[in-house]
Amino acid sequence: MNTTVTTTGMWKGGRSPFNVEYGKLMMWYFLMSDAFTFGAFLIAYGTTRFATNGWPDPNTVFRTYPFGGETHAPLVFVSIMTFILIISSVTMVLAVHEGHAMNKKGVAKYMVLTILGGLAFLGCQAWEWTHLYHEGAWWGRNPFPNADGTISTTNFTNFFFTITGFHGFHVFSGVVINCIMLIMVLRGVFERRGHYLMIEKAGLYWHFVDLVWVFVFTCFYLI
């Protein structure tokens, strides 16, 4: 009796066992390591905050917006920032979708919108940092009292500028990457390759940046 051994579908080292393109797999590895870094920052922030007796009230700290002065609806400006970033994530999804359809013009259009969204977010963050600086807030300086009226430490401003600055650097890097991808799209690089996988990889990074902002937004502005 002859026994036939079937090896169809078995991984022999030549391809990924999960059938994932190498570059995309490496991007996931990078994002995983970056998530650990952001996680360490946010865990340190949460530990410090809840180990401290008093903390500034975000409704008092983040109560202003450009050209409007103070508002009775706190967090309006940062909510607009968050909305802009979420919309840019949607346009990136649409760019990836157009890439799957091999639609060069569609990819270019949505990449431009994604870049504009990233630049708008960075502009908003630059204004917020400038405003807080003029109010006396910076690394090592905290002019905002605790919610109970007691004098606060500099832990709040140190963590705020470090974590939001680290995130802002990621947004800036994403904008640069997207600009490079847009140039390659306009030059027809991906058309000649026959696929738009690079757009999808850039999209993974951009979605990660947007997702991290949700946690940053929650920790600093809501809690």
Side-chain angles (χ1 to χ4, degrees):
M1 179 177 178
N2 295 327
T3 302
T4 303
V5 179
T6 304
T7 59
T8 304
M10 293 182 64
W11 183 49
K12 297 181 180 179
R15 296 181 60 187
S16 167
F18 304 108
N19 198 28
V20 178
E21 193 264 339
Y22 175 79
K24 190 185 297 186
L25 182 63
M26 292 301 103
M27 176 60 78
W28 277 113
Y29 281 142
F30 168 74
L31 296 180
M32 186 185 304
S33 65
D34 217 16
F36 289 150
T37 305
F38 273 107
F41 275 133
L42 293 175
I43 289 171
Y45 167 78
T47 302
T48 303
R49 174 170 182 175
F50 290 107
T52 306
N53 292 328
W55 203 259
D57 182 6
N59 292 324
T60 302
V61 177
F62 308 109
R63 66 186 184 280
T64 57
Y65 57 96
F67 313 114
E70 296 186 6
T71 175
H72 297 292
L75 308 181
V76 170
F77 183 62
V78 72
S79 297
I80 295 173
M81 290 173 59
T82 304
F83 178 76
I84 291 172
L85 206 56
I86 291 174
I87 291 300
S88 73
S89 194
V90 173
T91 56
M92 178 56 90
V93 169
L94 294 174
V96 173
H97 175 74
E98 294 297 334
H100 290 161
M102 296 299 294
N103 183 358
K104 177 181 175 180
K105 290 184 178 179
V107 175
K109 178 179 71 173
Y110 289 117
M111 287 300 292
V112 168
L113 293 176
T114 302
I115 292 168
L116 290 177
L119 291 174
F121 177 86
L122 289 173
C124 291
Q125 190 171 58
W127 179 89
E128 183 182 53
W129 272 41
T130 302
H131 173 75
L132 291 174
Y133 177 79
H134 287 309
E135 286 197 338
W138 201 240
W139 278 279
R141 299 201 309 265
N142 183 11
F144 308 109
N146 292 325
D148 57 5
T150 59
I151 298 176
S152 61
T153 67
T154 59
N155 286 331
F156 171 74
T157 48
N158 289 341
F159 273 112
F160 174 80
F161 287 112
T162 298
I163 295 177
T164 59
F166 190 56
H167 177 266
F169 172 74
H170 278 71
V171 175
F172 175 77
S173 300
V175 170
V176 172
I177 292 170
N178 288 339
C179 286
I180 294 172
M181 294 298 103
L182 176 61
I183 293 172
M184 294 176 71
V185 170
L186 295 176
R187 289 185 174 181
V189 174
F190 303 124
E191 287 288 320
R192 291 191 294 272
R193 290 182 183 178
H195 59 77
Y196 282 82
L197 282 176
M198 286 294 292
I199 300 297
E200 191 169 351
K201 296 170 195 174
L204 288 174
Y205 179 83
W206 193 254
H207 297 320
F208 170 79
V209 169
D210 291 358
L211 178 62
V212 168
W213 176 251
V214 173
F215 291 96
V216 175
F217 173 80
T218 302
C219 289
F220 282 104
Y221 299 92
L222 296 183
I223 300 177

